[in-house]
Amino acid sequence: MQHGKNLRINPTRLWDSLMEMAKIGPGVAGGNNRQTLTDEDAEGRALFQSWCEAAGCTMGLDTMGNMFATRPGEDPDALPVYMGSHLDTQPTGGKYDGVLGVLGGLEAIRTMNDLNVKTKHPIVLVNWTNEEGTRFAPAMLSSGVFAGKHTQDWAYDREDAEGKTFGAELKRIGWQGDEEVGARKMHAMFELHIEQGPILEAEQKDIGVVTHGQGLRWIECTVTGKESHTGSTPMKMRKNAGRGLALVTELVHEIAMNNQPNAVGAIGHIDVYPNSRNIIPGKVVFTVDMRTHLLHKLNDMVAEFMRRAPELCADIDVEFSCEIVGQFDPPAFDETCVGSVRNAAEALGYSHIDIISGAGHDACWINDVAPTAMIMCPCVDGLSHNEAEDISKEWAQAGTDVLLHAVLETAQIVE
């Protein structure tokens, strides 16, 4: 890049923007509660739009509420380079998850303006609606509609805990646009995000160059035994569904450990019936979550689980059944875009390692419709989805500097 290492963002301005956004929807313990399609979300969106327009961008809004701030390019026929993430948070979320990717993109545009940098391709900064999926499941809902994973009608019908629908709430807060969702074409997209894990901090690296996202399989399992009295049923005559759960729990752990590195597995949601202290469980329903970044490994892990779990349960005279209730295959991010991220980190002198994203992100869906890459910066103790989530000003600067350079390499500076 001809501008080279001299091109850096303004870290104080970025940090001030992060802190200003954090005032909207404050949490109870120093973080944020700015859930999607709430009044707080609407307020955050309005602030973001005002900042984008002050930076000379025009704002587009689609029918899923996705916001697109465009900085013009020199070639009107060139497809835009996108960057961004999300402004919605968990109910007890932090100040940086998603927000850094949006406001880091804004700071990149402000820096381009300061230095009068022109690009061949337009640059578009996006705020994706309902990435978190807390209020309206599933996560990454609007980027999923954009990428053709869900229909808009289905998304509009998603309900929160109070029975309010996504479509009605989007209209209520005034952020339902007219633009057809998914109609935009992208030259490429970059998403900056905090790691949400402990690797970068532990390795003392400034930048995570994200090469893959994890694929996942959610497997809902049922172990069926026989309810009976815990005191009067002889041990040899029990059909204990709870014991089946225990054996399967260890099986999931064993399979994940045997497929290291970058493979995980655990049992999360558990319902025990009848859930009484003096009744041996007659039925247990639970969900297994298995993830890795290699499709063949993921499929092998699931196949081994499906084969061995029924055998373990049969050995203790209980029945096992299961079905896959959630899945997506692991995305491999675009090699050219990943290379731009790596090039930027090296040109700027930031330490970096290749990393796998352990969480889902909007970039994982967009990767199916456009060349995509992700940049990660460390977060303290790997903590995320928690009001104590924290990053340093220096980490934010490094990630945003890399975002700026990767986007400019892709959008092509015009001298």
Side-chain angles (χ1 to χ4, degrees), residues 76-113:
D77 296 323
L79 289 177
V81 176
Y82 282 67
M83 56 181 175
S85 192
H86 61 97
L87 291 174
D88 68 312
T89 76
Q90 294 280 330
T92 53
K95 302 185 187 80
Y96 311 103
D97 175 354
V99 185
L100 175 64
V102 178
L103 300 187
L106 175 63
E107 175 54 35
I109 288 174
R110 287 168 165 171
T111 299
M112 295 176 209
N113 292 344

Side-chain angles (χ1 to χ4, degrees), residues 383-411:
L383 195 63
S384 179
H385 287 190
N386 187 307
E387 293 201 54
E389 171 187 287
D390 197 17
I391 66 174
S392 73
K393 188 175 180 179
E394 292 73 25
W395 291 342
Q397 177 182 3
T400 306
D401 277 341
V402 169
L403 173 68
L404 171 65
H405 280 247
V407 166
L408 287 177
E409 179 179 312
T410 307

Side-chain angles (χ1 to χ4, degrees), residues 83-87 98-99 101-102 126-128 189 191-193 362:
M83 56 181 175
S85 192
H86 61 97
L87 291 174
V99 185
V102 178
V126 56
N127 168 36
W128 298 107
M189 180 184 156
E191 181 171 3
L192 168 63
H193 208 282
D362 293 308

Side-chain angles (χ1 to χ4, degrees), residues 302-333:
V302 172
E304 181 179 356
F305 175 79
M306 298 282 199
R307 175 176 57 81
R308 293 180 60 191
E311 295 172 354
L312 287 173
C313 289
D315 287 345
I316 62 167
D317 204 21
V318 295
E319 296 179 2
F320 176 88
S321 63
C322 69
E323 64 173 328
I324 294 175
V325 294
Q327 61 181 324
F328 60 81
D329 292 343
F333 289 117

Side-chain angles (χ1 to χ4, degrees), residues 42-372:
E43 188 179 347
R45 287 165 172 266
L47 178 60
F48 173 59
Q49 177 167 336
S50 71
W51 283 341
C52 291
E53 291 174 346
C57 297
T58 55
M59 184 63 72
L61 186 68
D62 72 14
T63 51
M64 285 295 292
N66 297 314
M67 300 172 68
F68 302 99
T70 301
R71 184 181 195 263
E74 296 298 291
D75 181 353
D77 296 323
L79 289 177
V81 176
Y82 282 67
M83 56 181 175
S85 192
H86 61 97
L87 291 174
D88 68 312
T89 76
Q90 294 280 330
T92 53
K95 302 185 187 80
Y96 311 103
D97 175 354
V99 185
L100 175 64
V102 178
L103 300 187
L106 175 63
E107 175 54 35
I109 288 174
R110 287 168 165 171
T111 299
M112 295 176 209
N113 292 344
D114 290 347
L115 302 176
N116 196 29
V117 175
K118 294 180 172 61
T119 58
K120 174 185 175 182
H121 294 260
I123 292 171
V124 177
L125 174 59
V126 56
N127 168 36
W128 298 107
T129 303
N130 191 39
E131 191 275 347
E132 293 292 1
T134 304
R135 186 179 177 203
F136 299 100
M140 300 123 65
L141 180 66
S142 295
S143 57
V145 176
F146 187 97
K149 302 298 179 183
H150 318 299
T151 67
Q152 180 171 284
D153 287 345
W154 182 83
Y156 273 15
D157 287 342
R158 298 306 90 205
E159 293 186 357
D160 67 6
E162 297 177 353
K164 296 175 180 177
T165 67
F166 178 96
E169 285 294 275
L170 178 62
K171 189 172 183 179
R172 180 189 70 79
I173 67 166
W175 287 92
Q176 180 184 37
D178 297 325
E179 182 183 312
E180 179 188 351
V181 65
R184 290 171 170 261
K185 303 303 178 189
M186 301 179 175
H187 181 62
M189 180 184 156
F190 294 86
E191 181 171 3
L192 168 63
H193 208 282
I194 63 171
E195 182 192 353
Q196 300 182 278
I199 296 170
L200 293 175
E201 186 184 33
E203 297 283 340
Q204 296 185 313
K205 300 295 183 182
D206 302 314
I207 297 294
V209 180
V210 185
T211 60
H212 296 76
Q214 283 185 327
L216 70 79
R217 298 291 185 268
W218 286 343
I219 311 168
E220 185 172 278
C221 307
T222 302
V223 176
T224 307
K226 184 177 181 180
E227 295 174 18
S228 57
H229 197 291
T230 55
S232 57
T233 307
M235 295 298 290
K236 289 184 178 181
M237 298 177 66
R238 298 179 177 214
K239 296 186 177 183
N240 185 351
R243 189 178 171 206
L245 167 66
L247 293 173
V248 173
T249 300
E250 278 302 301
L251 173 63
V252 171
H253 182 78
E254 177 190 332
I255 292 172
M257 291 301 295
N258 288 343
N259 282 278
Q260 292 303 298
N262 298 315
V264 294
I267 288 171
H269 188 95
I270 302 171
D271 290 313
V272 180
Y273 302 93
N275 203 23
S276 174
R277 68 189 64 190
N278 61 350
I279 300 177
I280 296 165
K283 183 171 76 168
V284 182
V285 180
F286 55 93
T287 304
V288 175
D289 185 331
M290 287 183 166
R291 307 186 188 208
T292 186
H293 71 294
L294 298 174
L295 181 59
H296 68 86
K297 183 187 283 190
L298 181 61
N299 288 336
D300 288 348
M301 289 169 64
V302 172
E304 181 179 356
F305 175 79
M306 298 282 199
R307 175 176 57 81
R308 293 180 60 191
E311 295 172 354
L312 287 173
C313 289
D315 287 345
I316 62 167
D317 204 21
V318 295
E319 296 179 2
F320 176 88
S321 63
C322 69
E323 64 173 328
I324 294 175
V325 294
Q327 61 181 324
F328 60 81
D329 292 343
F333 289 117
D334 180 76
E335 290 184 5
T336 301
C337 291
V338 170
S340 296
V341 172
R342 193 178 290 112
N343 292 343
E346 290 176 357
L348 292 161
Y350 290 126
S351 60
H352 60 90
I353 55 171
D354 288 357
I355 196 169
I356 310 299
S357 173
H361 299 283
D362 293 308
C364 297
W365 284 148
I366 301 306
N367 189 60
D368 278 2
V369 295
T372 303

